[in-house]
Amino acid sequence: MTTTQHPLGSPFSATSTADDVLAGLDLSGVTAVVTGGYSGLGLETTRGLAAAGARVIVPARRPGTARAAVGDLPGCEVVPMDLADLDSVRAAAARIRDSVAQLDLLMAVAGVMATPERRVGPGWESQLATNHFGHFALTCELYPLLAAADGARVVVNSSSGHSLTDIRRPDPHFRTGYDKWLAYGQSKTANALFAVHLDVLGRGDGVRAFALHPGKIITGLQREMTLREQIDRGWVDEHGHVIGADFKTPSQGAATGLWAATSPLLHGRGGLYLEDCDIARIAAPTEPMDNGGVRAYAIAPQAAADLWTLTATATTSDLHTPSTPAAPSSPADAR
């Protein structure tokens, strides 16, 4: 089937909820991994999959908090994992490989946004490391399980924030002039490009990949922002209450990811950027971010291949060959 980046006429929309998308589906026998699956959109994703009968594994930086959040949900289990620590990612992946024979869904929902400048690992910029490098390494480590499912889907949460910047190839780690929003935007472009090339590499094994913009939702993702910042952006009022008709509920925000994971309309398709429970259109370079759509640079095949090479080198990860924890890379390896 030809894969094209334009809407296909989904029966769902921006106002559809997780329950709407999953209505009538039986996911018994399906195994899913949901990063960040214990708060915000991730928790809504976990709830929806579990309610439909899936077994859901939730890797979590705060396992105690995660167990409390998902404790009453059937078929859910928590594995400790910190996306910013590749040894932790590999240890979590090893535990998952020991417990399941195949993986039908990998939902990369966890993320950070607009954080102060931080360095992790060998000096990596923390938003790129957490949002992209960590999910890249996890996917590579779990790839044999995805291939074994013969029809797995990988769903990566990007954002309209990708429109802030392409990959900053001369300086992806902001060695000079850190800007928290450009760093966030770059990580979200990386998420989109990751799905593009993963789909190229995985489709022969039945592994298809999608990236998506879940919509504007107030969740814990804003925890690094002050109340004043959120007020000045028109997101909340002086009491922290959400304002504006263009914000979604968490359930509506989770709907596009769940649609990507389960919709028969996406059978035989992949490498696409989605929004509002449909394939997104390609946006013009000068369009405002809030107009929706995906920038052409975030789905460009060669850019996706180039980023894959950069990331595989930096993380010493790649498909097909689950690794043992490697010695830390030098900062020069990540440039």
Side-chain angles (χ1 to χ4, degrees):
M1 180 181 295
T2 301
T3 298
T4 52
Q5 186 67 55
H6 62 76
L8 51 72
S10 164
F12 302 109
S13 68
T15 61
S16 298
T17 66
D19 287 344
D20 294 334
V21 168
L22 294 173
L25 292 183
D26 181 1
L27 299 183
S28 301
V30 169
T31 300
V33 167
V34 182
T35 70
Y38 60 102
S39 66
L41 302 187
L43 181 55
E44 292 295 329
T45 300
T46 298
R47 284 173 176 159
L49 293 172
R55 175 185 180 184
V56 185
I57 301 170
V58 178
R61 185 173 59 86
R62 298 174 292 159
T65 301
R67 291 187 183 99
V70 305
D72 294 335
L73 299 178
C76 292
E77 56 200 275
V78 173
V79 173
M81 187 187 76
D82 182 350
L83 280 167
D85 179 346
L86 295 192
D87 284 346
S88 172
V89 170
R90 290 176 175 126
R95 289 184 59 172
I96 294 169
R97 291 197 306 268
D98 286 343
S99 67
V100 301
Q102 67 179 53
L103 183 61
D104 303 281
L105 299 173
L106 174 53
M107 311 284 286
V109 183
V112 294
M113 182 178 76
T115 63
E117 183 173 5
R118 296 191 183 108
R119 300 287 158 183
V120 300
W124 296 329
E125 190 281 311
S126 64
Q127 295 190 75
L128 184 64
T130 301
N131 295 347
H132 173 55
F133 283 6
H135 282 123
F136 179 96
L138 179 66
T139 303
C140 289
E141 294 290 324
L142 295 179
Y143 187 81
L145 299 182
L146 293 164
D150 191 25
R153 294 187 188 182
V154 178
V155 180
V156 186
N157 275 32
S158 179
S159 165
S160 62
H162 81 272
S163 63
L164 294 170
T165 180
D166 196 349
I167 302 299
R168 291 164 45 94
R169 286 169 181 81
D171 185 21
H173 293 287
F174 289 83
R175 307 292 179 190
T176 58
Y178 181 73
D179 182 299
K180 68 181 184 180
W181 284 108
L182 290 181
Y184 174 68
Q186 176 183 240
S187 74
K188 295 291 101 179
T189 295
N191 288 152
L193 290 171
F194 170 51
V196 169
H197 200 63
L198 174 60
D199 190 77
V200 171
L201 298 178
R203 65 183 62 170
D205 293 322
V207 179
R208 307 309 301 260
F210 304 90
L212 64 95
H213 171 43
K216 293 173 65 176
I217 313 103
I218 296 295
T219 64
L221 188 64
Q222 292 80 21
R223 58 186 171 272
E224 299 274 8
M225 298 177 66
T226 65
L227 177 61
R228 174 47 54 189
E229 285 182 285
Q230 296 182 58
I231 292 170
D232 290 345
R233 287 179 171 269
W235 294 354
V236 300
D237 62 19
E238 297 286 344
H239 304 288
H241 299 142
V242 178
I243 57 178
D246 57 343
F247 278 88
K248 294 183 178 183
T249 67
S251 182
Q252 290 170 332
T256 298
L258 290 168
W259 181 76
T262 62
S263 176
L265 292 177
L266 295 175
H267 179 70
R269 302 177 187 265
L272 298 165
Y273 184 95
L274 315 176
E275 65 182 358
D276 296 337
C277 299
D278 205 339
I279 300 172
R281 64 183 178 82
I282 298 176
T286 57
E287 282 192 67
M289 180 191 304
D290 287 345
N291 278 15
V294 59
R295 297 296 197 267
Y297 60 70
I299 54 172
Q302 187 57 56
D306 291 344
L307 178 64
W308 188 281
T309 300
L310 180 154
T311 309
T313 300
T315 62
T316 63
S317 301
D318 213 335
L319 298 189
H320 302 297
T321 55
S323 63
T324 55
S329 304
S330 68
D333 293 333
R335 290 176 184 164

